[in-house]
Amino acid sequence: MPAEQPVPVVRQLRLVVEAADHDAAVAFFRDALRMREEAAFSGEGDARVVILDAGRATLEIANPAQKRLIDEVEVGRQVSPRIRVAFEVDDAAATTARLVAAGASEVAPPTRTPWRSLNSRLDAPADLHITVFEELGAPDDGDD
C-alpha cells in the first residue's frame, strides 16, 4: 500500500518578473499569450503590477545535464539561461506565430520532442526566455 501523501502547504506559485517596459510586457503576456488578468495594482512613484493567471503551476528543478539535454532536443544548442518559463498551450505553432508577431524573437520553431510535445523557444519581453509547448498525447492516441 502506498504511503499517505503529506498535505500540501503551498497553495500558489507566483513568478514575479521585473519589466522595464511594463506596458509592453503586459500587452505581450496578457494580450498576445492570452493570459487572463486577475488583478492590477498601482502605488506611489508609478509603481505598477499586473497579476496574470497562468493556469496550473509547477516548479521544475533540473540538474545541468537535463537542462543541456532539453536545449539540445528543442533548439539544437545551449541557449537557456538559468531560468526559463514554459507555457502549455493548445496550438504551439499558432501561438508561436502570434507571439513573434507581438514582438518575441523566435529562438527555435515548434519542434517535436521525445516526450511527445511540440515545443518552441522564444525570447520574450521582460528579458524572459520562454518555451511554448503543446502536449501531443500518448503514442496510442492515433495522432502520429
Side-chain angles (χ1 to χ4, degrees), residues 31-113:
D31 304 335
L33 191 52
R34 300 181 181 163
M35 296 174 73
R36 185 178 57 80
E37 185 175 317
E38 286 190 352
F41 303 97
S42 60
E44 293 181 25
D46 195 35
R48 294 179 288 152
V49 65
V50 173
I51 300 170
L52 302 174
D53 181 7
R56 184 178 74 91
T58 61
L59 178 62
E60 284 186 39
I61 300 176
N63 70 5
Q66 180 66 20
K67 180 182 163 290
R68 286 189 302 273
L69 172 67
I70 294 169
D71 273 357
E72 283 301 321
V73 167
E74 293 182 4
V75 183
R77 66 187 191 286
Q78 301 305 297
V79 296
S80 289
R82 197 173 135 265
I83 295 175
R84 174 175 49 87
V85 182
F87 299 95
E88 181 181 1
V89 298
D90 290 332
D91 185 334
T95 300
T96 299
R98 189 172 64 249
L99 296 180
V100 168
S105 298
E106 185 178 273
V107 175
T111 302
R112 191 179 182 113
T113 70

